[in-house]
Amino acid sequence: TIPEKEGWVNRAKLLGFTGRSRRDQMNLAKLFEIKDYPCPAGGCLLTDPEFCARLKDLIKYDSLSVSKIIILRVGRHFRIDKNAKLIVGRDEHENDRLVAMEKEGDIIIDMTDCPGPTAILRGETSEANIMLATQITARYADSNGKELTALLKTKGELLKTLNIKPLDKDKVKEYVISKEG
């Protein structure tokens, strides 16, 4: 930075705060007995490596819009192919949020046999993409690897039912949008 180049700031003397957690700042305030300070916020999402990976994927394969950026904060994200993306809820709250974010052309995937995620397949909904998206979604259900029944819906209407085996854990990793990928 300019302040470093000009010698105004020595980075070695700064504290190494990184990421979105504010625990370190709160501990520092406690150490100096500072009790009246603004409520720590989560920080900028651009400091979150997972969010950044999802944003880069969005920029690479799609166009930016507020609704597309908002959904980046929900669930696990998978790139099925260059024209299709899958978002899998991690808990009941995220499952509900995903259903509320459904857009025209999306396919909602739910498992019926056991507790598990709800997912949205967005983009190209070919049979191959539907099959892969359903297998990935099944991977996160509490099925112990057993075959499951998946309901595929759009705008609340049942499209079809599929019997599906979860995709192997190592195979799922090939599709995850993450900072490592």
Side-chain angles (χ1 to χ4, degrees), residues 44-78:
C44 177
L45 275 174
L46 295 177
T47 64
D48 180 343
E50 294 299 324
F51 182 83
C52 283
R54 294 172 183 180
L55 183 59
K56 287 177 183 175
D57 177 80
L58 177 64
I59 291 168
K60 182 176 181 179
Y61 294 104
D62 208 340
S63 60
L64 294 176
S65 72
V66 172
S67 66
K68 290 175 186 175
I69 292 171
I70 289 172
I71 203 167
L72 296 179
R73 298 176 71 177
V74 180
R76 296 175 177 96
H77 291 244
F78 302 87

Side-chain angles (χ1 to χ4, degrees), residues 76 78 80 86-89 95 107-111 115-121 130-143 148 150-152 164-167 172:
R76 296 175 177 96
F78 302 87
I80 301 298
L86 177 70
I87 303 124
V88 179
N95 291 346
I107 293 180
I108 301 289
I109 303 167
D110 279 315
M111 299 298 148
T118 295
I120 288 181
L121 175 59
I130 289 171
M131 185 62 73
L132 179 57
T134 307
Q135 289 175 312
I136 291 171
T137 304
R139 179 81 204 139
Y140 293 95
D142 298 329
S143 72
L148 296 171
L151 300 179
L152 305 178
I164 200 84
K165 283 208 53 96
L167 193 62
V172 168

Side-chain angles (χ1 to χ4, degrees), residues 29-45:
K30 189 175 186 178
L31 176 71
F32 287 105
E33 298 179 0
I34 299 170
K35 294 179 177 29
D36 185 25
Y37 56 88
C39 179
C44 177
L45 275 174

Side-chain angles (χ1 to χ4, degrees), residues 111-128:
M111 299 298 148
T112 62
D113 308 289
C114 62
T118 295
I120 288 181
L121 175 59
R122 186 165 279 178
E124 175 62 42
T125 56
S126 66
E127 287 300 315

